[in-house]
Amino acid sequence: MSYEEESSGDRILGRIRGGRPGPTLLCIGALHGNETAGVRGIEAVLERLRGRGAEMSGEFVAVVGNRQALARGRRYVDRDLNRAWTTDRLGALVRSREGSAEDREQRELIATIDGVVRSARGPVYVLDLHTTSGSGGTFSTFGDTLPNRDFAAHIPAPMILGLEELVDGTLLAFLGQRGLVAVVFESGQHEEPAAVDRAEAAIWIAVSAAGLLPQ
């Protein structure tokens, strides 16, 4: 069976398309540029997944959320990219091709997500990886639907409900409006080495839970 691998140092960190149709798992790291653990966890998983495409069903796609902020080691350049997924902001992006650094990032990220959804050969799952400024912040959060809850339940961490109702304009809410199964995983404090390990573990769990590879 044939399969495809695509990697890029740009928006897409890696893309592995399995030899059989099946679900797509989209992993997003560094939506905030100072939260690098998710990207490092993704890179570790990609290193081990490469060459296993023939075993996979569906597709694994990994992307960087805010490339410019990641390159500068900052949470954002001009504005918080995880507070910008409102109807008004999205409408402004459509009406104008100019704007801030995050406007450009957001347009490209939307196009990337849309492309992943269009090419999917089954259901699409999203794991959005974050870290926290303070300690003790390992948890998952999601829009409280049964598919989201079922997906998050595989990750052995506290599930926090209702955060999306307290914070406007999150990517998580946008993904939910698109009908995607989407979970945010906070893997720990920004600089904590274990945060990378937890992010990597969560990705492997998601690979299995989504059905790309056996447990």
Side-chain angles (χ1 to χ4, degrees), residues 75-157:
R75 182 176 174 87
Y76 56 84
V77 178
D78 297 315
R79 61 174 175 81
D80 193 328
L81 189 56
N82 204 27
R83 302 292 185 272
W85 302 84
T86 62
T87 301
D88 289 345
R89 172 60 68 178
L90 294 170
L93 289 177
V94 172
R95 290 190 298 271
S96 173
R97 305 310 297 177
E98 304 299 325
S100 67
E102 273 71 28
D103 286 346
R104 294 188 292 275
E105 295 288 333
Q106 192 170 8
R107 288 191 190 97
E108 290 183 13
L109 188 53
I110 291 170
T112 299
I113 293 170
D114 285 346
V116 169
V117 172
R118 283 196 303 270
S119 67
R121 297 174 291 170
V124 178
Y125 298 83
V126 184
L127 185 63
D128 184 13
L129 296 153
H130 289 263
T131 50
T132 60
S133 57
S135 60
T138 303
F139 62 90
S140 66
T141 187
F142 46 88
D144 193 13
T145 67
L146 290 177
N148 287 342
R149 187 185 286 248
D150 181 65
F151 188 46
H154 290 86
I155 301 174

Side-chain angles (χ1 to χ4, degrees), residues 10-208:
D10 202 17
R11 176 75 57 196
I12 297 177
L13 290 168
R15 187 167 193 163
I16 302 174
R17 192 169 176 88
R20 297 178 297 276
T24 292
L25 175 62
L26 171 61
C27 290
I28 301 172
L31 194 62
H32 294 133
N34 63 330
E35 300 178 15
T36 61
V39 171
R40 292 165 64 192
I42 287 169
E43 290 172 340
V45 171
L46 280 169
E47 184 65 25
R48 293 176 61 189
L49 270 183
R50 290 193 174 100
R52 296 186 64 185
E55 305 172 42
M56 279 179 41
S57 299
E59 186 170 27
F60 180 85
V61 186
V63 304
V64 173
N66 193 332
R67 297 172 305 159
Q68 295 179 72
L70 178 63
R72 302 182 191 192
R74 294 165 50 180
R75 182 176 174 87
Y76 56 84
V77 178
D78 297 315
R79 61 174 175 81
D80 193 328
L81 189 56
N82 204 27
R83 302 292 185 272
W85 302 84
T86 62
T87 301
D88 289 345
R89 172 60 68 178
L90 294 170
L93 289 177
V94 172
R95 290 190 298 271
S96 173
R97 305 310 297 177
E98 304 299 325
S100 67
E102 273 71 28
D103 286 346
R104 294 188 292 275
E105 295 288 333
Q106 192 170 8
R107 288 191 190 97
E108 290 183 13
L109 188 53
I110 291 170
T112 299
I113 293 170
D114 285 346
V116 169
V117 172
R118 283 196 303 270
S119 67
R121 297 174 291 170
V124 178
Y125 298 83
V126 184
L127 185 63
D128 184 13
L129 296 153
H130 289 263
T131 50
T132 60
S133 57
S135 60
T138 303
F139 62 90
S140 66
T141 187
F142 46 88
D144 193 13
T145 67
L146 290 177
N148 287 342
R149 187 185 286 248
D150 181 65
F151 188 46
H154 290 86
I155 301 174
M159 296 186 290
I160 308 298
L161 303 180
L163 284 184
E164 78 284 356
E165 298 174 5
L166 302 176
V167 182
D168 291 331
T170 63
L171 175 61
L172 183 66
F174 172 81
L175 296 170
Q177 291 165 5
R178 293 280 177 109
L180 305 181
V181 178
V183 170
V184 165
F185 179 62
E186 300 272 2
S187 66
Q189 197 274 335
H190 297 329
E191 307 301 326
E192 182 185 5
V196 179
D197 297 333
R198 295 188 196 107
E200 181 182 355
I203 297 165
W204 281 116
I205 290 169
V207 166
S208 174

